[in-house]
Amino acid sequence: MLTRPDVAVVGAGPVGLAIAWRCAARGLRVVVHDPAPGSGASHVAAGMLSPVAEAYFGEHELTGLLAESAARWPGFAAELAEAAGTDLGYRTEGTLVVGLTGDDLAEAGRLWSYQQGLGLPITPLRPSQLREREPALAPRVRGGAVAPGDHQVDPRRLVAALRTAAEQAGAVLVPGAVARLADVDARVTVVAAGCGAAALTGLPVRPVKGQVLRLRAPGGAAPELRYVIRGYADGESVYLVPRTDGEVVVGATVEERADTEVTAGAVLRLLRAAVDLVPDLAEYELAEASAGLRPGTPDNAPILGALPGRPGVLAATGHHRHGVVLTPVTADLITELVVTGVADPLLAPFTPARFTGRDGDGRAPAVEARRPRPDRSASEEERTWS
């Protein structure tokens, strides 16, 4: 006899897998639908956990959610690493924000003043202080700031770990695409499909193209960089994310396009800005150039919560460039909504109702939590729920 799942998650990126893991750990029967888990925006993401450096003018509520999720990351990373038995590439050295020219520094300074006005931890530094922290920075760099609480994680390792943890907790991955939500049979359906959420739900989620490069240090050595660098170089914005395995991620363009072609112009701009800030990168191997599609929304904030007029359907999408940093808080809030049927107040500014034109009370059908079922193999789960 077939058993109906409690929760179906559509989308196996970090957000979808984290929700599946949390729900399965609460004892719910969970299936995850995705034809190619981890192949979306997270595959080309840099993995910056930057509630401070990503705080922009007019996005007060989003900044609050970023800060809340970043505060959950240390515990989330430790729990996930233990559950999956793997290293996530989680690092806590902090982030340096730098300006190459006087104009670049002035532009960055306006943003620092705004961030400091919000009480966020960012401290301006003189050029000599910057180079004490990062000797590889170019002598031309005019100044910068340090955001000690802005960390990083490797998104590809994160996805692999989340998949392992979710499956070990009892979730089952179904390797197929979902064309219509009517084809999904579960008590609660969570749409965490990134850009694909638009076709499934009608929500205003659009693709925002980003091109990213991966460089590799000569001889397989660790990069000289210690900090994540977010820089302004002759008007070009760029970030540099060093990994301990010798990789440096360089990104990223922001383009209102829906293709995933890598262009020579984007590679040129990113490399020029990166080498202007850290000249030694000119000697690194260009190991990969890739492009992905971020799920953007009209107000740049995620869409989280019950979909008005669609009983049993929850949205967890539209994270734009913040999907990785918002993974812990999204998973916690959506899981609580699934289990209790009551929305946490943190969800209020981000509900689908702000775009649908239909009021909703934020509630969802509660799914009774069960104790985790030990020692059921994946094949047994597949036979039960497929």
Side-chain angles (χ1 to χ4, degrees), residues 182-204:
D183 297 333
V184 179
D185 183 26
R187 292 180 175 87
V188 174
T189 299
V190 180
V191 181
C195 296
L200 292 172
T201 65
L203 292 169

Side-chain angles (χ1 to χ4, degrees), residues 286-299:
L286 177 57
E288 181 182 315
S290 55
L293 301 175
R294 310 173 184 90
T297 65
D299 59 6

Side-chain angles (χ1 to χ4, degrees), residues 137-330:
L137 284 170
R140 290 178 55 207
V141 170
R142 292 292 299 274
V146 60
D150 282 13
H151 300 157
Q152 66 150 301
V153 71
D154 186 331
R156 295 179 180 181
R157 294 187 184 188
L158 173 65
V159 167
L162 283 168
R163 178 171 181 172
T164 297
E167 291 181 320
Q168 288 180 348
V172 174
L173 267 69
V174 178
V178 172
R180 301 181 308 149
L181 291 184
D183 297 333
V184 179
D185 183 26
R187 292 180 175 87
V188 174
T189 299
V190 180
V191 181
C195 296
L200 292 172
T201 65
L203 292 169
V205 180
R206 74 187 191 283
V208 181
K209 180 180 178 180
Q211 300 188 52
V212 177
L213 311 178
R214 282 175 165 77
L215 311 182
R216 189 156 294 278
E224 295 182 21
L225 293 176
R226 178 171 174 239
Y227 292 83
V228 172
I229 306 294
R230 299 180 70 98
Y232 299 83
D234 286 323
E236 190 76 37
S237 177
V238 69
Y239 58 69
L240 312 173
V241 183
R243 310 273 195 231
T244 54
D245 65 357
E247 181 178 86
V248 176
V249 183
V250 180
T253 66
V254 179
E255 307 169 53
E256 294 290 339
R257 297 173 60 93
D259 66 273
T260 55
E261 300 298 323
V262 175
T263 64
V267 173
L268 177 62
R269 292 195 307 274
L270 291 172
L271 285 178
R272 179 185 291 133
V275 173
D276 280 347
L277 294 174
V278 181
D280 288 348
L281 292 179
E283 303 301 321
Y284 281 43
E285 173 193 355
L286 177 57
E288 181 182 315
S290 55
L293 301 175
R294 310 173 184 90
T297 65
D299 59 6
N300 293 329
I303 305 175
L304 309 173
L307 198 62
R310 304 287 292 273
V313 178
L314 307 180
T317 187
H319 291 78
H320 199 205
R321 60 182 183 269
H322 307 302
V324 176
V325 66
L326 288 177
T327 290
V329 75
T330 300

Side-chain angles (χ1 to χ4, degrees), residues 18 21-22 72-81 88 158 162 327-328 331:
W21 174 41
R22 290 303 198 201
R72 301 185 188 205
W73 251 102
F76 178 82
E79 184 182 355
L80 178 57
L88 309 180
L158 173 65
L162 283 168
T327 290

Side-chain angles (χ1 to χ4, degrees), residues 346-372:
L346 280 174
L347 288 172
F350 308 105
T351 65
R354 73 189 195 272
F355 296 125
T356 63
R358 301 180 63 176
D359 293 331
D361 62 4
R363 299 180 64 88
V367 178
E368 180 184 356
R370 300 167 177 81
R371 292 184 179 180

